[in-house]
Amino acid sequence: MKLASLKQGRDGRLVVVSRDLTRQADAAAVAPTLIAALDNWAAAEPRLQEIADSLEAGRIAHTPFDPKKCASPLPRSFGWADGSAYVNHVALVRKSRGAEVPPTFWTDPLMYRGASDEFIGPCDPIKAADTAWGIDLEAEVAVVVTDVPMGATPAQTGSAIKLFMILNDISLRNLIPAELAKGFGFLQSKGQTAFSPVAVTPDELGSAFDGKKVHLPLLSAINGKPFGRPNAGVDMTFDFPTLIAHAVKTRPLKGGCIIGSGTVSNRDADGGPGKPVPDGGLGYSCIAEIRTVETILHGAPKTPFLNFGDRVRVEMNDAQGRSIFGAIDHEVVKA
Amino acid sequence: MKLASLKQGRDGRLVVVSRDLTRQADAAAVAPTLIAALDNWAAAEPRLQEIADSLEAGRIAHTPFDPKKCASPLPRSFGWADGSAYVNHVALVRKSRGAEVPPTFWTDPLMYRGASDEFIGPCDPIKAADTAWGIDLEAEVAVVVTDVPMGATPAQTGSAIKLFMILNDISLRNLIPAELAKGFGFLQSKGQTAFSPVAVTPDELGSAFDGKKVHLPLLSAINGKPFGRPNAGVDMTFDFPTLIAHAVKTRPLKGGCIIGSGTVSNRDADGGPGKPVPDGGLGYSCIAEIRTVETILHGAPKTPFLNFGDRVRVEMNDAQGRSIFGAIDHEVVKA
């Protein structure tokens, strides 16, 4: 099934959305909000599924679904930890700063805690005060979990994955080097994250989800031009069960927490840097990567970071070309 | 007024607690949980104050207050960002790792995002799988805010401070160097944080809160022996309005978020390292500091990190010696 949160209060109003993303049915009889449903998912899930089945069969009252009226499926969350599972992305972005990738980065996941007190909706503006911050997209895949005990292993954590979303983890690229140099991780150098219009249960991904990774291209576009289409199932050094296990090594993880994949990034078949989509390549999920490749090839970056008025779109289609999550589609505006 | 959350469900049950911490009155008529009250604080605050006034006057039904039945005042939160405002602490802990303090640390606050999906209660055990992690206390002061817009200045953020708590920000000291070296900040190297039995409004601090800092000693003890009594108003390089302004430079901060001071730490009058409490000094708010001082003085640390069975107590008294927040008092146990 597919779930969305219409904008209302701090936690939204939960609706069940049809598979084709055209219709929605009220879910208030089960739970007023997605966060409330996740607090008791074992009870809520079958009842939400009943609504989803009735909606597909046309047996229930429904209204048109409009992503512009959506908050993120979880408009806020008690936990948002983002991995950096595509080490190719890390290697490229570090190269752009002249920083090395330690060998342990291929065996020990990188993960940071992001702000989760307010996510922006999939069509909400990306607000920034200054383009000198180096505003960048980061297109990613994320999972929402139920309770995971401290010390759970990757073999044990996979069953906690209940929902998938895609996201744009806005990064303020020019603030990152100085902030990371302080040693405490990202704080000012990440903007407000936007998730897809709907969150979907694993069955909606069919065989594209093998229990560990999502084997589909993640499509991003800037100002209507295709920018990236790397496959989220390729070059993911740390799969979702491994990322969750990393998060619970020294503490539990509670229901409703979100774990992200980090920026999706594929190497080329030859193991070298990617090529832009217009040149037949898979492209990128963030501008920092293409700037690094440009610097390697031409001595300097050519693609600018985002400016006010620029639009970013992130989407994932199934094998038949149908949008799974709806599109994140939003504009950078001056705060 | 003073507010607590009795253990019940994921968000607790809100009660108003008497000034002397002996009695509690139900607050369900105003809000079922503290998080719900903070979501609409302007409406909830005066009604909770009425209950507090009635409780002090003995005009309302009440039951005995027992900190052991308490979760943290916010059993979970949508945001927990912890500053490191006592740069003396940073300097000492870095010295123990052989790391320098960059000059900017005195002008640009350090702050990390901590896990907030489940805090432990003030008398709940500190669970750890292995004492080799280097289990350490960090005694701190924190504020809870209402909504703060992006870009607010220190002159504008002070009015968002609605509640104070003290806390033990459990640190896993031996996991920190490798994790911080990865550049993404703390994730596995922090345990579950415990807050005081009650959160209090600023008026409960009287003149000890000057709008920026809390001018009272923060008392910590290990296994019943006094360990630290540094004054939270002294050597706080970045005050609370400044820490909040740091957190909102590139994004807003929403109601119910918690901002911490970092480990409270005073220099000696002579500007040198502190002395243990038994030797007449102000002592420490974490074991890492005393180990650094021991290493400087004796060539090696003597005080071990916490073992299973050790107890930690953190408290703050007013000028008359009365406990303001109740005590965090808990034992380290094997997970």
Side-chain angles (χ1 to χ4, degrees):
Chain A
M1 64 182 161
K2 303 190 177 189
L3 301 170
S5 293
L6 304 184
K7 291 185 177 197
Q8 183 179 298
R10 293 179 187 262
D11 288 310
R13 182 161 68 85
L14 181 63
V15 294
V16 176
V17 180
S18 63
R19 187 158 289 142
D20 67 0
L21 303 173
T22 62
R23 290 158 294 134
Q24 65 191 18
D26 190 62
V30 177
T33 66
L34 183 52
I35 210 162
L38 284 159
D39 277 349
N40 195 3
W41 187 247
E45 193 270 345
R47 297 180 60 204
L48 292 169
Q49 187 62 57
E50 277 177 35
I51 295 176
D53 294 342
S54 298
L55 181 62
E56 290 304 321
R59 292 193 310 260
I60 195 173
H62 54 80
T63 52
F65 176 67
D66 180 0
K68 291 189 183 62
K69 294 183 178 164
C70 289
S72 280
L74 284 166
R76 56 180 181 172
S77 162
F78 292 102
W80 157 229
D82 197 13
S84 194
Y86 300 85
V87 181
N88 187 54
H89 162 77
V90 181
L92 275 175
V93 172
R94 291 217 157 204
K95 196 174 278 185
S96 74
R97 311 202 288 265
E100 290 294 307
V101 174
T104 56
F105 276 31
W106 297 93
T107 55
D108 178 32
L110 274 177
M111 187 176 283
Y112 84 95
R113 289 195 200 286
S116 56
D117 53 324
E118 185 185 70
F119 301 122
I120 57 173
C123 303
D124 288 349
I126 301 165
K127 290 182 187 162
D130 194 341
T131 55
W133 290 350
I135 307 159
D136 198 358
L137 68 150
E138 289 200 345
E140 311 187 6
V141 181
V143 297
V144 182
V145 299
T146 45
D147 292 353
V148 185
M150 174 161 82
T153 65
Q156 297 166 325
T157 57
S159 60
I161 298 173
K162 301 305 178 190
L163 295 171
F164 286 84
M165 304 182 288
I166 56 174
L167 64 130
N168 181 8
D169 188 42
I170 317 293
S171 290
L172 305 171
R173 207 60 75 178
N174 294 340
L175 304 185
I176 290 179
E179 188 153 66
L180 293 200
K182 290 159 65 180
F184 273 29
F186 305 98
L187 196 112
Q188 295 178 335
S189 51
K190 290 281 182 179
Q192 287 187 283
T193 304
F195 291 87
S196 43
V198 303
V200 310
T201 47
D203 58 293
E204 294 288 342
L205 296 171
S207 61
F209 178 56
D210 62 3
K212 297 181 172 181
K213 304 176 184 180
V214 177
H215 296 271
L216 285 170
L218 183 60
L219 313 173
S220 54
I222 298 176
N223 296 327
K225 284 170 53 183
F227 181 72
R229 54 181 181 189
N231 191 305
V234 174
D235 292 330
M236 189 187 199
T237 306
F238 306 105
D239 57 34
F240 282 110
T242 301
L243 292 174
I244 298 166
H246 184 81
V248 298
K249 182 182 171 188
T250 62
R251 49 164 293 124
L253 196 60
K254 306 308 285 188
C257 282
I258 307 167
I259 301 288
S261 68
T263 308
V264 176
S265 178
N266 291 171
R267 305 167 183 244
D268 263 359
D270 66 0
K275 280 186 190 147
V277 176
D279 301 341
L282 296 172
Y284 309 90
S285 298
C286 71
I287 295 171
E289 285 192 25
I290 193 170
R291 286 170 62 90
T292 300
V293 172
E294 288 165 350
T295 303
I296 294 167
L297 296 178
H298 311 296
K302 294 196 297 187
T303 306
F305 289 120
L306 297 170
N307 282 302
F308 299 132
D310 282 347
R311 288 196 77 84
V312 173
R313 186 180 171 98
V314 181
E315 198 161 17
M316 179 178 270
N317 295 335
D318 66 15
Q320 286 73 43
R322 298 170 299 206
S323 182
I324 298 171
F325 300 94
I328 298 167
D329 190 349
H330 53 175
E331 182 179 345
V332 182
V333 303
K334 187 162 170 61
Chain B
M1 63 183 161
K2 303 191 177 189
L3 301 169
S5 292
L6 303 184
K7 290 185 177 194
Q8 183 180 298
R10 293 179 187 263
D11 288 310
R13 182 162 67 85
L14 181 62
V15 293
V16 177
V17 180
S18 63
R19 187 158 288 143
D20 66 0
L21 303 173
T22 63
R23 289 159 294 133
Q24 64 191 18
D26 190 62
V30 178
T33 66
L34 181 53
I35 210 162
L38 284 159
D39 277 349
N40 195 3
W41 188 246
E45 194 269 345
R47 297 181 60 204
L48 291 170
Q49 187 62 57
E50 278 177 34
I51 295 177
D53 294 343
S54 299
L55 181 61
E56 290 303 321
R59 292 193 311 260
I60 195 171
H62 54 80
T63 52
F65 176 66
D66 180 359
K68 291 188 182 64
K69 294 183 178 162
C70 288
S72 280
L74 285 166
R76 55 180 180 172
S77 162
F78 292 102
W80 156 230
D82 197 14
S84 195
Y86 301 85
V87 181
N88 187 53
H89 163 78
V90 181
L92 275 176
V93 173
R94 290 218 158 203
K95 196 174 277 185
S96 75
R97 310 201 290 263
E100 291 294 308
V101 174
T104 55
F105 276 31
W106 298 93
T107 54
D108 178 31
L110 273 177
M111 187 175 281
Y112 85 94
R113 289 195 199 286
S116 56
D117 52 324
E118 185 186 68
F119 300 123
I120 57 174
C123 303
D124 288 349
I126 300 165
K127 289 182 187 163
D130 194 341
T131 55
W133 289 350
I135 307 158
D136 199 357
L137 67 151
E138 289 200 344
E140 311 187 6
V141 181
V143 297
V144 182
V145 299
T146 44
D147 293 353
V148 185
M150 175 161 79
T153 65
Q156 297 166 326
T157 57
S159 60
I161 298 174
K162 301 304 179 190
L163 295 172
F164 286 85
M165 303 182 288
I166 56 174
L167 64 129
N168 181 8
D169 189 41
I170 318 293
S171 290
L172 305 172
R173 208 59 76 176
N174 294 338
L175 304 185
I176 290 178
E179 189 154 66
L180 293 200
K182 290 159 65 179
F184 273 30
F186 305 98
L187 197 112
Q188 295 179 335
S189 52
K190 291 280 181 180
Q192 287 186 283
T193 304
F195 291 87
S196 44
V198 303
V200 309
T201 46
D203 57 293
E204 294 289 342
L205 296 171
S207 61
F209 178 56
D210 63 3
K212 297 182 172 181
K213 304 177 184 181
V214 177
H215 296 271
L216 285 169
L218 184 60
L219 312 174
S220 54
I222 299 176
N223 295 326
K225 285 170 54 184
F227 181 72
R229 53 181 182 191
N231 192 303
V234 175
D235 292 330
M236 190 187 198
T237 307
F238 306 105
D239 58 33
F240 282 110
T242 302
L243 291 174
I244 298 166
H246 184 81
V248 298
K249 182 182 172 188
T250 60
R251 47 162 295 121
L253 196 60
K254 305 308 286 187
C257 283
I258 306 167
I259 301 288
S261 68
T263 308
V264 176
S265 178
N266 291 169
R267 304 166 183 243
D268 264 0
D270 65 0
K275 280 186 191 149
V277 176
D279 301 340
L282 296 172
Y284 309 91
S285 299
C286 72
I287 295 172
E289 284 192 27
I290 193 171
R291 286 170 62 89
T292 300
V293 173
E294 288 165 349
T295 302
I296 293 167
L297 296 178
H298 311 296
K302 294 196 297 185
T303 306
F305 289 119
L306 297 170
N307 282 303
F308 299 131
D310 283 346
R311 288 196 76 85
V312 173
R313 185 179 171 98
V314 181
E315 199 162 15
M316 180 177 270
N317 295 335
D318 66 15
Q320 287 72 43
R322 297 170 300 206
S323 182
I324 297 172
F325 300 95
I328 298 168
D329 189 349
H330 54 175
E331 181 179 345
V332 182
V333 303
K334 188 163 169 61

